[in-house]
Amino acid sequence: MKKIQSRFGEIEYQPENLLHFPEGMIGFENLRDFIVMPNEKEGPLFWIQSVDDPQVAFVMTDPSNFFPDYKVAATPAERTKLGIGEEDEVYSLSVVTVPPDRKLTLNLMAPVLYAPSSNRALQTILEKSPYSTRHPLPV
């Protein structure tokens, strides 16, 4: 068991349970390992907390909760980076932005592909996407 101090207080975690980003996230390429924080409230949002920099955490969600038709398929190269085969499941997640006006947006242009079988994730950029980096939630 290891511990870090973060904005959430002291967090204990098992190193083998870390969510690993082999390439980091866009703008945070040096941050590779994250803890998925347990939800204290019911709902579709959750936090991932960086182990490499305890001051960095991201709010995440499954965008299909809000946009049922939103689907992103992992390419063979992305599957290799995720350490998975063609048959392994991959989920799309989005970084959530919470601005001062509390009108949440999702980054649908740069989804995070998550492979539960390897506990790896990869942020990718969708080219020629109809979505944006601050796509508003439907009202």
Side-chain angles (χ1 to χ4, degrees):
M1 187 72 73
K2 290 191 169 189
K3 296 179 187 181
I4 60 168
Q5 288 294 328
S6 77
R7 64 175 15 169
F8 301 104
E10 185 175 85
I11 301 170
E12 290 186 344
Y13 67 93
Q14 295 286 354
E16 62 271 13
N17 293 336
L18 290 176
L19 174 59
H20 182 68
F21 284 77
E23 298 178 348
M25 291 181 67
I26 297 168
F28 298 90
E29 289 80 7
N30 60 325
L31 305 182
R32 303 292 175 97
D33 293 316
F34 290 80
I35 302 164
V36 177
M37 301 297 295
N39 269 352
E40 293 187 12
K41 297 179 182 178
E42 287 293 318
L45 305 179
F46 63 94
W47 288 88
I48 61 170
Q49 167 66 57
S50 171
V51 173
D52 304 310
D53 182 347
Q55 298 305 308
V56 176
F58 298 98
V59 181
M60 305 288 291
T61 195
D62 176 346
S64 67
N65 289 316
F66 306 98
F67 302 96
D69 295 336
Y70 184 82
K71 303 241 185 304
V72 179
T75 66
E78 290 166 338
R79 287 181 169 280
T80 298
K81 291 175 186 177
L82 291 169
I84 59 170
E86 199 170 307
E87 301 301 317
D88 290 308
E89 287 187 294
V90 177
Y91 296 99
S92 298
L93 302 172
S94 291
V95 176
V96 178
T97 300
V98 185
D101 66 6
R102 304 277 234 182
K103 292 183 180 176
L104 303 181
T105 63
L106 304 183
N107 184 346
L108 298 180
M109 186 176 272
V112 171
L113 301 175
Y114 166 62
S117 63
S118 66
N119 218 26
R120 286 185 173 195
L122 180 70
Q123 190 171 27
T124 188
I125 298 174
L126 303 178
E127 294 185 25
K128 299 179 184 170
S129 171
Y131 299 107
S132 70
T133 57
R134 293 191 187 262
H135 204 85
L137 290 180
V139 181

